Amino acid sequence: MIDGNLHHHNSYRCRWTPPNLPNWRTSQSMKVYLSGGIAGMTFEEANEWRQDVTDKFQEAGVKTINPLRGRLFKHADTEEFGANEIVGRDLRDIRASDLVLAYLPTMSIGTVCEVWHTYTVERKPVIVVSDNDRITGHPWIKVAATKILPDLDT
């Protein structure tokens, strides 16, 4: 089990407390892929929670893999990368991670695909963060998620 405490500043800001990682790699070498909505958002909207979580993970010595690194766009639907490039890099990033943190305050097709891929192909832990009962109560999420948390404070 992977435990940790995330403390909420507001709707997207959080303060991460180092996780308890028994029988797991040391936090110094752990890598967490930050899965969450991008489509239909501005870069700032899609990246703000990721940057907050990254800052706190770094304080704990945990590395994050942000799928938005090196990507600049005004709106996700107008970015310069093609679908194969985006999905291919995301899958390589998931493979390079030790676990996936999937932030789902609202439905995101890409995030759900990443959760399922991580569960079925990579066989790695997935932490789903959502307070949306339609998401957290869905049988496919219940099966794929190692842990479901209601928010980034938990």
Side-chain angles (χ1 to χ4, degrees), residues 92-104:
R92 285 188 301 275
D93 287 347
I94 291 168
R95 193 169 304 118
S97 71
D98 296 303
L99 70 89
V100 169
L101 175 67
Y103 184 52
L104 281 164

Side-chain angles (χ1 to χ4, degrees), residues 83-154:
N84 287 332
E85 294 167 307
I86 292 168
V87 172
R89 187 174 87 158
D90 291 350
L91 292 176
R92 285 188 301 275
D93 287 347
I94 291 168
R95 193 169 304 118
S97 71
D98 296 303
L99 70 89
V100 169
L101 175 67
Y103 184 52
L104 281 164
T106 60
M107 180 52 73
S108 164
I109 294 170
T111 303
V112 172
C113 290
E114 290 173 344
V115 166
W116 192 250
H117 174 84
T118 304
Y119 169 73
T120 60
V121 176
E122 303 300 333
R123 303 282 189 196
K124 294 179 180 182
V126 177
I127 299 171
V128 172
V129 180
S130 182
D131 64 353
N132 184 326
D133 293 337
R134 292 187 71 194
I135 294 171
T136 61
H138 197 284
W140 288 73
I141 295 295
K142 286 181 173 182
V143 166
T146 308
K147 183 128 179 123
I148 298 174
L149 302 174
D151 54 48
L152 291 171
D153 293 334
T154 308

Side-chain angles (χ1 to χ4, degrees), residues 7-115:
H7 307 285
H8 205 59
H9 289 284
N10 57 40
S11 65
Y12 56 82
R13 294 209 175 267
C14 66
R15 188 174 62 229
W16 176 258
T17 303
N20 176 16
L21 302 169
N23 302 320
W24 199 245
R25 288 193 206 185
T26 66
S27 62
Q28 303 304 326
S29 63
M30 179 174 244
K31 292 182 208 163
V32 178
Y33 177 77
L34 303 178
S35 180
I38 296 173
M41 297 180 169
T42 65
F43 180 85
E44 291 75 20
E45 291 168 338
N47 197 50
E48 195 157 20
W49 75 269
R50 287 178 171 93
Q51 189 57 55
D52 290 339
V53 169
T54 295
D55 292 343
K56 297 309 172 183
F57 270 123
Q58 285 177 343
E59 290 174 14
V62 176
K63 295 176 183 174
T64 59
I65 303 173
N66 184 342
L68 294 173
R69 72 190 183 286
R71 291 167 62 175
L72 297 174
F73 54 83
K74 291 182 181 173
H75 196 271
D77 299 332
T78 62
E79 69 176 301
E80 4 180 310
F81 297 105
N84 287 332
E85 294 167 307
I86 292 168
V87 172
R89 187 174 87 158
D90 291 350
L91 292 176
R92 285 188 301 275
D93 287 347
I94 291 168
R95 193 169 304 118
S97 71
D98 296 303
L99 70 89
V100 169
L101 175 67
Y103 184 52
L104 281 164
T106 60
M107 180 52 73
S108 164
I109 294 170
T111 303
V112 172
C113 290
E114 290 173 344
V115 166

